[in-house]
Amino acid sequence: MHFVHFNYFMKPVVIIGAGMAGLQAASQLHLNQIPFLLVDAQNHVGGRLHSEHIKGFTLDVGFQVLQTNYPEVQRSLDLSALDLAAFESGAYLWNQDSWLAFVNPLKQPGSLFSALASGIMSVKDAYLLARLWFITQADVPPLGSNESTQDFLNRWGFSSKFQSHFLQPFFGGIFLSAGLNPPASLFRYYMKQFLEGSAAIPAMGISAIPLQMADALPSDSIRLGMQVTQISARQVTFADGTSVAAEHVILATDASATAKLLGVSLEKGAFWSTKTLYFQAPAQSNRKQMLHLVPNSRVLHYAYLNHVQPSYAPPGKDLISVTTLDVSMNPADVLAELASFVGPSIQKWAFLKEYLLSEALPVVGAFDELKQKATDLGIVLAGDFTGFPSLQSAMNSGRMAAESFLKA
Ligand SMILES: Cc1cc2nc3c(=O)[nH]c(=O)nc-3n(C[C@H](O)[C@H](O)[C@H](O)COP(=O)(O)OP(=O)(O)OC[C@H]3O[C@@H](n4cnc5c(N)ncnc54)[C@H](O)[C@@H]3O)c2cc1C
């Protein structure tokens, strides 16, 4: 075994994983002028935030949005440089045989009346939603309760129609859990974020977010295509047999890789899975800037992404994303499932590409053994699985990891 010679013989901190957690850890160290080496097995930064550019379309590897209200996002990103375009706040709800625009009542109170008139939402649903928004603190600790979201919605008495037509497909798409199993406290946190903030996508795709963070770091501090195979508190070994010594190690890999590196086996069912399928179609002039929530279906939602962010499709084309939790669905299944919701224009949809993400989001609470093992070995962990699945949590964990050395 021989040692890799980087700019500094010994790096005070080696960060493994250049997803949002690792990038945020690196940014904090850089701000404090502490040298670091950030490595990633892949040839790009961003981990689960990745985009591909194919035939003039921008395809995010799994549909996702940037919540501009997240405190870490506000603190650390230059949002104007991302050239963001926001979804209109709300969703299209299926009302017997047509779509009803349900705009966020905080932004357009009148839309409450059409939702009430349609019967999708009852007066009690409207009252419960308002009460929930009012009593939920913006910074409510997301993991404070063990009650599942579904149990909470039933206990509060939301109507089954409002659940099937709005809450289930909307929050199912955020949690990537059809049964709304994640904790109710997380539901309340996200609900507050969506009601008060906006959900946006950058002009160059979701990967523009990590690229912005990486661009602000010294380029010789980032090494890509370097898979770590072994770690200890003071040494990191790569797949090619080389090693680097470290004063400290921050392990910011995804939960699966973290478990492998620490020699811990994860329980079955530690992740939520999803599939995003992209279709192209001739451009429609009627812009639709919210998600279409599909009730009681294998598809959760679909969206015309270029109606929100025009750069996502070439001129004259629409780019449609379809999100499902049924990862066995193929393009033909999607077209059959959506035919009655989209109408005759679905015949012009042409399949572009699909992304199956079997470990899209970590299940809250499934990683206690992993965290304990890291503590025992003196390795600092970062990553969304250490908190809750979101950019906020991933970035915050990276900040905390870096700060643990700054305070020492
Ligand atoms: C489909 C989908 C939709 C989502 N929607 C949203 C959303 O709308 N809003 C939101 O806030 N969040 C969303 N998320 C969650 C969000 O993307 C993640 O929480 C966040 O990106 C996780 O960042 P991370 O740094 O913790 O992990 P990762 O991004 O997984 O980064 C880990 C990194 O470690 C690297 N690595 C792994 N093993 C090794 C090794 N052995 N050696 C070196 N490097 C290694 C990987 O290559 C990777 O780059 C979504 C996620 C998915 C997949």
Side-chain angles (χ1 to χ4, degrees):
M1 182 181 294
H2 60 282
F3 284 86
V4 182
H5 292 279
F6 293 105
N7 281 2
Y8 321 95
F9 176 66
M10 178 182 267
K11 287 279 173 185
V13 183
V14 175
I15 305 163
I16 307 165
M20 291 303 283
L23 284 164
Q24 180 67 315
S27 302
Q28 297 313 303
L29 295 175
H30 183 53
L31 270 177
N32 288 279
Q33 296 170 341
I34 297 181
F36 63 88
L37 177 69
L38 174 61
V39 299
D40 201 288
Q42 299 187 72
N43 287 317
H44 59 81
V45 297
R48 272 169 281 162
L49 284 196
H50 189 48
S51 313
E52 294 187 331
H53 302 279
I54 294 172
K55 298 181 190 167
F57 294 94
T58 295
L59 309 183
D60 293 329
V61 179
F63 170 85
Q64 62 180 301
V65 295
L66 177 66
Q67 283 300 126
T68 54
N69 253 23
Y70 280 149
E72 288 290 344
V73 166
Q74 291 278 334
R75 265 170 98 167
S76 307
L77 298 178
D78 178 355
L79 294 179
S80 63
L82 289 174
D83 203 357
L84 295 173
F87 280 82
E88 195 177 346
S89 184
Y92 296 105
L93 310 184
W94 186 248
N95 184 23
Q96 287 170 0
D97 56 4
S98 62
W99 290 101
L100 172 84
F102 176 50
V103 182
N104 178 348
L106 288 183
K107 302 193 175 165
Q108 201 174 299
S111 86
L112 214 49
F113 296 108
S114 40
L116 289 169
S118 73
I120 292 175
M121 182 187 226
S122 67
V123 174
K124 186 178 177 191
D125 292 322
Y127 162 74
L128 291 175
L129 208 56
R131 183 163 162 236
L132 196 53
W133 166 71
F134 190 71
I135 64 170
T136 301
Q137 302 297 312
D139 58 351
V140 65
L143 310 175
S145 147
N146 285 330
E147 185 178 30
S148 80
T149 298
Q150 187 60 67
D151 288 347
F152 174 84
L153 297 176
N154 293 342
R155 182 166 65 79
W156 267 52
F158 281 99
S159 71
S160 55
K161 188 144 192 192
F162 190 56
Q163 290 199 33
S164 64
H165 283 60
F166 177 68
L167 294 169
Q168 210 282 330
F170 191 80
F171 285 95
I174 296 170
F175 292 145
L176 303 181
S177 154
L180 300 184
N181 297 61
S185 45
L186 200 50
F187 157 72
R188 295 175 62 168
Y189 177 81
Y190 287 142
M191 186 210 56
K192 189 92 175 168
Q193 292 289 334
F194 274 93
L195 279 171
E196 294 180 0
S198 59
I201 40 180
M204 293 305 291
I206 207 82
S207 63
I209 300 166
L211 285 173
Q212 181 184 87
M213 295 192 75
D215 281 349
L217 301 172
S219 56
D220 62 352
S221 296
I222 305 178
R223 297 289 168 104
L224 300 176
M226 297 191 74
Q227 192 189 357
V228 172
T229 50
Q230 265 181 25
I231 55 165
S232 67
R234 296 203 165 222
Q235 186 167 308
V236 173
T237 304
F238 300 99
D240 63 4
T242 57
S243 292
V244 61
E247 192 82 6
H248 300 288
V249 174
I250 295 177
L251 188 51
T253 47
D254 49 275
S256 231
T258 305
K260 211 175 276 175
L261 285 168
L262 297 185
V264 172
S265 39
L266 294 177
E267 301 270 322
K268 257 189 153 187
F271 297 93
W272 301 111
S273 309
T274 185
K275 192 188 249 191
T276 300
L277 300 95
Y278 287 103
F279 295 83
Q280 60 163 309
Q284 295 183 7
S285 50
N286 182 8
R287 282 158 70 84
K288 304 181 187 93
Q289 296 179 300
M290 298 189 286
L291 294 184
H292 291 74
L293 301 181
V294 190
N296 307 313
S297 163
R298 294 161 78 194
V299 167
L300 286 176
H301 58 71
Y302 66 92
Y304 293 84
L305 295 181
N306 60 304
H307 292 202
V308 178
Q309 180 57 275
S311 60
Y312 266 48
K317 299 279 186 193
D318 275 348
L319 173 66
I320 303 134
S321 72
V322 177
T323 297
T324 176
L325 302 182
D326 181 348
V327 297
S328 70
M329 277 193 106
N330 62 35
D333 295 334
V334 166
L335 294 176
E337 189 84 16
L338 290 183
S340 58
F341 297 99
V342 177
S345 68
I346 202 166
Q347 285 163 15
K348 297 195 175 135
W349 285 24
F351 175 65
L352 272 171
K353 188 159 180 176
E354 64 179 36
Y355 297 98
L356 192 168
L357 299 138
S358 53
E359 296 185 353
L361 299 181
V363 169
V364 171
F367 305 99
D368 291 346
E369 193 188 340
L370 204 51
K371 293 186 210 169
Q372 188 55 52
K373 183 79 184 279
T375 308
D376 295 346
L377 294 174
I379 291 167
V380 175
L381 289 188
D384 60 350
F385 71 92
T386 62
F388 59 103
S390 71
L391 293 192
Q392 163 62 24
S393 186
M395 292 172 78
N396 188 251
S397 71
R399 174 189 297 282
M400 306 274 280
E403 285 178 359
S404 69
F405 303 138
L406 299 173
K407 283 182 198 141

